[in-house]
Amino acid sequence: MRVIVIGAGVLGTMHAWQAVRRGHEVVHIEREAEARGASVRNFGLIWVSGRASGEELETALRARELWEEIGASVPGLGFRANGSLTVVTDEAELAVAHAALDRPDAAARGFRLLTPDEVREVNPALRGTFLGALACDRDAVVEPRTAQRALKEAMLASGRYTFLGGREAREVVGASAVRDDHGRLHEGDAVVLCTGAWLGGLVRELAPALPVRRVRLQMMQTAPLGEELTTSVADADSFRYYPAYGGPALEAMAAARPQPPVAAAHRMQLLMVQRADGGLTIGDTHEYAEPFGFDVDEDPYEHLTSVAGALLGRPLPKVRRRWAGVYAQCVDTTRVVHRERVGDGAWLVTGPGGRGMTCSPAIAETTANELGW
């Protein structure tokens, strides 16, 4: 079988990986020289902890297994089973953590509640004042700026993979061929479009009623911390953002401790991950109403700097980079992904939202199984 994959972000790359791994030939078309969208502008988190029970959690757990398997054969992914700590600083936040432990799927997520001393034992870089942390042993991380490149190099070694960067897909021809903007026709047996936040042009022609929206975020990265941050770290505002924590305890927390105005206005949580070079990736904000601003606002960065510094108990290293990104999310946020047949042999797979990095290996595996690869 010859599979044409459109889009070289993590979702498209994982679809290509599944096809190559199953012995098929792949032609991979990307409109940029290489991926430059949300797939390289994120934390690299494989985030199991906050997923909704049911399909979302099952997808995340399966993806976690696949990331570890792939990471063993592709060291360039930088896969690390580092787990996470969601740090709590008051009784209302602590109550949400206790409620999470009472979930019937708490063990599957790897939840544990740690005392302040246990937090510092697990992650000595956290020297701030807090009441404890909800640990999730199933969370992990990869290096987002290099993961797609490492996977591409591994697929090239198979001899069954062709990457064509700097080419935009303009037309699906017949059942399963694609014409690019160089006028070249790429014929195959199946076409999978994983175009991320690019929802216009060919995507709009093929799926004019697409139930997917775009979301903009802001993030930053620091110089090396100078010590190891042994886990990924979140603050309790992440309880507000992830569906696993919903319930009376979260409602009481929200009533007892409203977010600071800047955090509420930008729908913020703190997530913090250490990169391979020792720097910290820190975020993030969420903007839903288009047209998005083109500015990178400073107030959210000041808030994140303050919260991260309080948990670390020290000033952050110098900020080296700030950026914005846009990802595609299903309008019905309970859906893991939107998968739609847009031709006899063509499928559109999009809209995983902020769980794209986490879930992409399992989403691609499901596509491959459903299409009979």
Side-chain angles (χ1 to χ4, degrees):
M1 176 181 286
R2 193 167 194 250
V3 180
I4 313 297
V5 178
I6 311 301
V10 68
L11 193 56
T13 299
M14 283 298 178
H15 279 80
W17 177 269
Q18 281 288 330
V20 169
R21 175 182 161 279
R22 295 171 187 227
H24 304 308
E25 181 184 352
V26 171
V27 176
H28 201 176
I29 301 173
E30 164 59 41
R31 62 177 182 156
E32 300 280 359
E34 59 182 18
R36 293 180 59 82
S39 293
V40 298
R41 304 186 193 196
N42 64 73
F43 297 96
L45 284 169
I46 302 159
W47 199 249
V48 173
S49 48
R51 302 301 170 196
S53 296
E55 180 189 5
E56 184 175 340
L57 178 59
E58 292 167 5
T59 302
L61 286 169
R62 175 56 182 158
R64 169 64 171 78
E65 294 175 358
L66 291 170
W67 272 118
E68 188 162 11
E69 290 174 10
I70 299 167
S73 60
V74 186
L77 288 181
F79 175 85
R80 304 192 303 280
N82 64 335
S84 72
L85 296 176
T86 300
V87 181
V88 296
T89 59
D90 61 34
E91 293 294 339
E93 295 173 357
L94 185 61
V96 180
H98 277 292
L101 286 179
D102 291 337
R103 298 182 60 93
D105 53 18
R109 299 171 190 267
F111 278 161
R112 297 178 292 128
L113 187 59
L114 305 184
T115 67
D117 287 343
E118 290 170 332
V119 169
R120 295 184 181 97
E121 182 179 349
V122 169
N123 195 335
L126 296 176
R127 302 189 186 92
T129 301
F130 37 78
L131 295 186
L134 181 66
C136 178
D137 295 334
R138 298 300 294 157
D139 287 339
V141 68
V142 294
E143 292 299 306
R145 290 177 180 248
T146 58
Q148 280 81 238
R149 195 178 309 152
L151 289 167
K152 181 174 72 173
E153 291 172 359
M155 288 187 287
L156 286 169
S158 73
R160 297 190 306 276
Y161 174 80
T162 301
F163 180 81
L164 299 174
R167 292 173 183 258
E168 184 173 319
R170 287 290 180 84
E171 180 183 9
V172 175
V173 181
S176 53
V178 173
R179 193 181 308 279
D180 67 26
D181 60 352
H182 291 220
R184 182 176 172 185
L185 185 68
H186 307 276
E187 296 182 285
D189 301 293
V191 177
V192 180
L193 295 98
C194 300
T195 56
W198 177 46
L199 303 178
L202 177 60
V203 175
R204 183 171 290 116
E205 291 174 11
L206 295 172
L210 191 62
V212 172
R213 65 178 178 179
R214 304 199 314 156
V215 181
R216 183 179 185 266
L217 54 85
Q218 288 185 200
M219 297 172 62
M220 63 181 177
Q221 188 164 331
T222 74
L225 181 63
E227 62 183 315
E228 185 179 5
L229 189 73
T230 58
T231 69
S232 300
V233 175
D235 74 343
D237 275 343
S238 66
F239 289 150
R240 307 171 192 262
Y241 185 73
Y242 291 104
Y245 306 114
L250 180 63
E251 292 170 6
M253 185 192 95
R257 189 181 66 75
Q259 284 186 291
V262 64
H266 292 273
R267 298 173 176 88
M268 296 178 68
Q269 61 178 336
L270 171 76
L271 295 174
M272 181 164 57
V273 182
Q274 190 166 45
R275 300 270 64 93
D277 70 355
L280 303 176
T281 300
I282 297 173
D284 61 350
T285 66
H286 300 88
E287 183 180 356
Y288 299 100
E290 295 197 58
F292 299 134
F294 56 83
D295 299 309
V296 178
D297 294 335
E298 190 62 25
D299 287 349
Y301 289 116
E302 292 180 358
H303 172 78
L304 291 169
T305 297
S306 174
V307 175
L311 296 183
L312 292 169
R314 54 171 284 188
L316 283 183
K318 178 182 177 180
V319 174
R320 284 185 168 174
R321 304 183 184 95
R322 307 176 192 269
W323 67 89
V326 179
Y327 60 69
Q329 179 187 60
C330 291
V331 174
D332 177 0
T333 57
T334 65
R335 296 182 60 192
V336 174
V337 72
H338 178 74
R339 190 180 285 106
E340 178 179 347
R341 189 170 186 169
V342 292
D344 290 341
W347 291 80
L348 173 66
V349 185
T350 188
R355 53 189 164 227
M357 202 70 180
T358 294
C359 293
S360 55
I363 292 170
E365 181 183 59
T366 298
T367 301
N369 291 340
E370 291 185 357
L371 271 57
W373 295 357

